[in-house]
Amino acid sequence: MVNAENTADGAGLTPRLADRLLAAGADVLTLGNHVWRRREIGPYLETSDRVVRPANLATSSPGRGLTVAQAEDGTDVAVLNLQGLLFMSTPISPFEVVDELVEEARAAAKVVLVDFHAEATSEKVALATWLDGRVTAVIGTHTHIQTNDARILPGGTAAVSDAGMTGPHDSVIGVRSELAIARMRTRLPVRFEPAEGDVRLEGVLVRCSDAGQADAIELVRIAA
Ligand SMILES: [Fe+2]
């Protein structure tokens, strides 16, 4: 499962890049608050069963937030994408919709993965705790900074506040540092460009039982 919301030059995802990530071995792609940065992704999401966007966007949005894919060994894996409410422009609270979606996911698969695309660690910890024992893993994305709190919760749900960023780490969360700093210092509009240096792959590896209960979560960090 790959969060792909900023694959297209640092903003959004195009159908061509989605196809490339899937061809490279990703089983499901998730998205986030930058989902609509590339208009052409809308029609693609209407027909794709491998690319999901946050489930709690405007109800008229194209695409969906839950899908079921098969792992390499044939195991059904449900993937649910949600977006946080705190410090983000999100039309529907994730807590308003999560229970029903988790029920739907569990009816379809024993292994359920949640990508919670959110800004605040408090909200991520709260959602993971609320879902403990009902899903296999709650993996945070969006902040681009890998957090040091990967853990198995008492009910058997793996959780981490943020899986980190695959991209240039010699940057301000992927943006050329001087541009990000200039915008913050001057408050003037500055066009962001992706940085290039110190590319790393970051993520998490979760191990679970056939019943979908997690027993290990490991932070992954690989320098190019
Ligand atoms: Fe994001």
Side-chain angles (χ1 to χ4, degrees), residues 89-174:
S89 177
T90 304
I92 302 166
S93 164
F95 288 94
E96 294 287 334
V97 297
V98 69
D99 293 333
E100 201 175 312
L101 287 164
V102 163
E103 237 173 82
E104 198 183 322
R106 281 165 58 99
K110 289 196 171 77
V111 179
V112 179
L113 305 178
V114 179
D115 172 356
F116 189 32
H117 196 82
E119 185 76 54
T121 47
S122 58
E123 195 178 17
K124 296 182 190 193
V125 170
L127 189 80
T129 304
W130 175 241
L131 295 181
D132 183 23
R134 289 192 280 160
V135 302
T136 307
V138 180
I139 311 295
T141 58
H142 174 72
T143 67
H144 301 211
I145 304 296
Q146 192 178 65
T147 54
N148 194 23
D149 63 339
R151 65 213 181 274
I152 306 292
L153 294 167
T157 294
V160 67
S161 290
D162 208 283
M165 175 180 77
T166 293
H169 280 248
D170 179 9
S171 66
V172 173
I173 63 168

Side-chain angles (χ1 to χ4, degrees), residues 137 139 146-147 150 159-160 162-164 202-206 217-220:
I139 311 295
Q146 192 178 65
T147 54
V160 67
D162 208 283
E202 288 187 343
V204 293
L205 192 60
V206 175
I217 177 168
E218 192 186 311
L219 293 171
V220 176

